[in-house]
């Protein structure tokens, strides 16, 4: 259905025009409702990608132009740093007014399959989250500026986006994508339609499953978990196959999948300490194929940060959940004993949620540094080492809110090197390059000295 208000409304009386406007509003509302149910429309994705890049939604009084792509970037702009995977280089993101936010920018890879959004899962509706970003502090708007923010974003959608005269305007693209004239809907609904288009683009950012890991899994028939399968049961199945394949010297490794990476894989998928050796228990939370369970776990990072400021064991002395109102979701400082970021606890206060954050996906993780919700860890090795430190403290009873699964992790420095080597095998490559990984190493290149 295409509604052309510019020409049709003039030919109607006031009542006719009002009826038409009401009809358009109903069509717009229906379009918003359908966004989460329909297959993604390429026209909406293309529009959303343009909006994702646009700096003109920023408050003009802000210090610099910001956009979705400013924080959720791709490519590399710093020599020697891995290309970004829809995130930035900063420990915590910056607003258009150069204010530091609380959290590290998460990658957008695989957003379509996430039930919860953000580190604490405060949002479950992607379009609603993006709408709040467009008119919020990230782009330089204060809560008191909401009406001005809506009007400014609406103006940009109506009057700009022509690509310097070389392409369609946003208004034309909206009409092509949604079948309605943008000027016929209300200001807020127009902005929400824009947020919906950006959400469609973000949902299109999916893993390609073209990493060395994917070749390795295909060669050795390491399948992904069945729907509803417990991650530990899945891990035991993988370990059973590892034992069978190793015993018969049938393990196949693609080019570049080093012996260290293989040993890291074994540690990653090992979930118990029945036998001596490193136990990563990583797969319990980082479940293939996207290497996340989309759930919330406390792996001790907030407590480690708090204890660095206030002394060992300080976080454990905070009382939960009775003092929820006295705790401030903020970075710890020496003069603010109540400042600590407890993640999911900020959304749903309970002891189980204290210090819990959503499990990040690990695909392309080499390009998402610095790591963890607070961006405190510069390298993958640093992040893995922090997990090992927290696990030891949890076993010693020093992290009372820690996830029970964290206590199972027992690794040494050499294991960290191997785990990082494995995580690097999750870096996806272009499809044309992926074919080279499907060629297994010759037998004389294989090592079974594990």
């Amino acid at each position: 259905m295409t509604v052309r208000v510019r020409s049709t409304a003039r030919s109607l009386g006031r009542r006719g025009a009002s009826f038409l406007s009401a009809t358009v509003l109903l069509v717009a509302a229906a379009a918003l409702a359908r966004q989460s149910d329909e297959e993604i429309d390429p026209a909406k994705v293309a529009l959303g990608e343009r909006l994702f890049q646009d700096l003109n939604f920023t408050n003009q009084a802000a210090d610099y132009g910001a956009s979705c792509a400013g924080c959720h970037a791709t490519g590399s702009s710093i020599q020697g740093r891995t290309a970004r995977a829809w995130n930035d280089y900063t420990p915590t993101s910056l607003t258009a007014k150069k204010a530091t936010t609380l959290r590290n920018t998460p990658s957008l890879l695989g957003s379509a399959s996430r039930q919860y959004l953000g580190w604490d899962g405060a949002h479950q509706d992607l379009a609603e989250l993006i709408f709040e970003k467009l008119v919020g502090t990230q782009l330089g708007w204060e809560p008191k500026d909401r009406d001005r923010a809506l009007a400014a974003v609406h103006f940009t959608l109506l009057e700009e986006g022509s690509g310097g005269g070389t392409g369609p305007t946003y208004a034309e693209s909206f009409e092509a994508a949604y079948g309605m004239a943008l000027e016929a809907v209300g200001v807020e609904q127009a902005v929400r339609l824009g947020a919906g288009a950006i959400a469609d683009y973000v949902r299109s950012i999916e893993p390609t499953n073209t990493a060395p890991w994917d070749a390795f899994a295909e060669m050795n028939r390491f399948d992904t978990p069945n729907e509803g399968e417990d991650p530990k049961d899945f891990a035991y199945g993988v370990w059973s196959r590892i034992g069978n394949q190793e015993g018969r010297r049938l393990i196949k490794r693609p080019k570049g999948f080093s012996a260290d990476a293989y040993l890291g894989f074994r540690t990653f998928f090992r979930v118990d300490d029945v036998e001596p050796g490193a136990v990563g228990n990583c797969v319990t939370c980082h479940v293939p194929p996207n290497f996340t369970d989309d759930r919330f776990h406390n792996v001790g990072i907030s407590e480690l940060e708090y204890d660095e400021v206030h002394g060992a064991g300080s976080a454990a002395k905070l009382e939960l959940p009775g003092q929820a109102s006295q705790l401030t979701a903020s970075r710890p400082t020496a003069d603010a004993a109540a400042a600590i970021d407890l993640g999911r606890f900020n959304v749903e206060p309970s002891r189980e949620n204290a210090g819990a954050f959503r499990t990040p996906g690990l695909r392309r993780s080499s390009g998402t540094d610095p790591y963890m919700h607070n961006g405190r860890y510069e390298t993958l090795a640093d992040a893995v080492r922090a997990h090992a430190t927290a696990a030891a403290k949890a076993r010693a009873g020093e992290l009372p809110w820690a996830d029970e699964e964290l206590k199972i992790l027992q690794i040494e420095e050499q294991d960290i090197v191997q785990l990082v080597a494995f995580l690097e095998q999750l870096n996806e490559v272009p499809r044309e390059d992926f074919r080279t990984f499907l060629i297994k190493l010759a037998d004389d290149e294989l090592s079974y000295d594990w």
Side-chain angles (χ1 to χ4, degrees):
M1 176 181 181
T2 301
V3 180
R4 300 185 182 279
V5 172
R6 293 176 186 170
S7 59
T8 310
R10 293 192 187 99
S11 65
L12 298 172
R14 181 175 296 179
R15 290 181 62 188
S18 297
F19 171 77
L20 182 59
S21 296
T23 301
V24 172
L25 289 175
L26 288 173
V27 172
L32 286 167
R34 286 197 305 269
Q35 283 174 7
S36 60
D37 300 327
E38 290 184 345
E39 184 175 342
I40 296 176
D41 184 338
K44 295 175 184 175
V45 171
L47 171 60
E49 184 172 8
R50 291 176 62 198
L51 300 175
F52 187 86
Q53 305 282 344
D54 201 320
L55 296 170
N56 290 313
F57 299 122
T58 312
N59 183 349
Q60 296 302 304
D63 294 291
Y64 71 97
S67 67
C68 302
C71 291
H72 299 282
T74 58
S76 180
S77 59
I78 298 181
Q79 186 174 5
R81 298 287 290 275
T82 305
R84 297 296 84 189
W86 287 276
N87 68 304
D88 57 23
Y89 294 102
T90 61
T92 57
S93 62
L94 299 175
T95 71
K97 290 186 175 180
K98 295 185 178 179
T100 302
T101 64
L102 185 60
R103 309 267 173 76
N104 177 254
T105 302
S107 172
L108 297 180
L109 191 65
S111 294
S113 60
R114 292 177 190 156
Q115 178 182 356
Y116 298 99
L117 302 168
W119 284 103
D120 58 15
H123 294 271
Q124 290 184 267
D125 186 305
L126 183 56
E128 180 65 24
L129 171 59
I130 292 170
F131 173 80
E132 293 298 332
K133 295 291 184 181
L134 288 176
V135 298
T137 56
Q138 201 73 39
L139 297 188
W141 303 103
E142 301 299 329
K144 63 182 177 61
D145 299 327
R146 192 173 184 86
D147 288 342
R148 289 180 54 230
L150 284 167
V153 174
H154 184 242
F155 177 84
T156 297
L157 295 176
L158 278 179
E159 304 297 335
E160 300 188 28
S162 64
T166 61
T169 64
Y170 284 146
E172 291 167 338
S173 294
F174 267 95
E175 187 159 352
Y178 288 101
M180 68 186 71
L182 191 61
E183 64 185 19
V185 302
V187 172
E188 181 168 332
Q189 280 196 299
V191 177
R192 287 188 180 279
L193 285 171
I198 297 174
D200 280 340
Y201 168 64
V202 171
R203 292 188 191 100
S204 75
I205 302 172
E206 284 290 282
T208 59
N209 297 343
T210 55
W213 153 259
D214 298 294
F216 174 75
E218 181 177 330
M219 286 176 173
N220 295 283
R221 299 182 182 179
F222 293 125
D223 296 326
T224 56
N226 296 319
E227 185 174 355
E229 183 177 9
D230 182 87
K232 284 187 179 292
D233 290 340
F234 167 70
Y236 284 125
V238 170
W239 261 89
S240 176
R241 187 159 189 82
I242 289 174
N244 179 275
Q245 296 287 76
E246 284 185 0
R248 299 166 62 194
R249 300 176 67 85
L250 294 176
I251 291 291
K252 303 177 182 68
R253 288 188 288 124
K255 186 176 182 180
F257 206 103
S258 66
D260 268 351
Y262 181 76
L263 292 172
F265 152 72
R266 295 172 95 255
T267 299
F268 189 97
F269 278 80
R270 188 174 176 192
V271 295
D272 64 41
D273 58 356
V274 174
E275 298 177 357
V279 182
N281 198 32
C282 311
V283 71
T284 300
C285 301
H286 295 284
V287 187
N290 290 342
F291 291 86
T292 176
D293 61 359
D294 197 38
R295 297 175 63 187
F296 304 94
H297 301 277
N298 181 326
V299 293
I301 301 302
S302 280
E303 294 94 308
L304 292 180
E305 182 180 33
Y306 191 87
D307 286 358
E308 284 179 12
V309 175
H310 297 286
S314 296
K317 297 175 183 177
L318 295 173
E319 296 182 17
L320 300 171
Q323 292 187 356
S325 61
Q326 299 177 34
L327 296 175
T328 305
S330 181
R331 302 296 292 268
T333 59
D335 58 352
I340 182 172
D341 187 1
L342 294 179
R344 185 66 179 171
F345 182 85
N346 301 323
V347 180
E348 294 182 353
S350 71
R351 184 178 179 84
E352 291 72 22
N353 287 333
F357 293 84
R358 186 181 59 79
T359 307
L362 296 180
R363 284 187 178 272
R364 292 188 61 177
S365 54
S366 291
T368 62
D369 59 293
Y371 299 98
M372 308 310 294
H373 72 272
N374 54 10
R376 291 288 300 277
Y377 305 97
E378 293 186 4
T379 68
L380 278 171
D382 293 336
V384 176
R385 194 173 292 113
H387 281 69
T389 298
K393 287 180 174 292
R395 286 192 296 274
E398 298 174 16
L399 298 179
W401 316 323
D403 197 301
E404 286 298 313
E405 296 295 339
L406 177 66
K407 299 177 182 179
I408 298 174
L409 187 153
Q410 297 188 57
I411 54 176
E412 304 294 338
E413 190 62 30
Q414 181 58 37
D415 305 317
I416 293 173
V417 172
Q418 294 164 355
L419 277 168
V420 170
F422 170 67
L423 293 176
E424 290 171 346
Q425 305 306 308
L426 304 182
N427 294 334
E428 296 171 331
V429 300
R431 293 187 185 279
E432 57 270 23
D433 296 334
F434 180 63
R435 291 175 295 178
T436 63
F437 291 118
L438 296 174
I439 304 171
K440 77 177 184 70
L441 295 178
D443 288 342
D444 60 357
E445 296 179 275
L446 291 170
S447 171
Y448 290 89
D449 299 328
W450 302 316

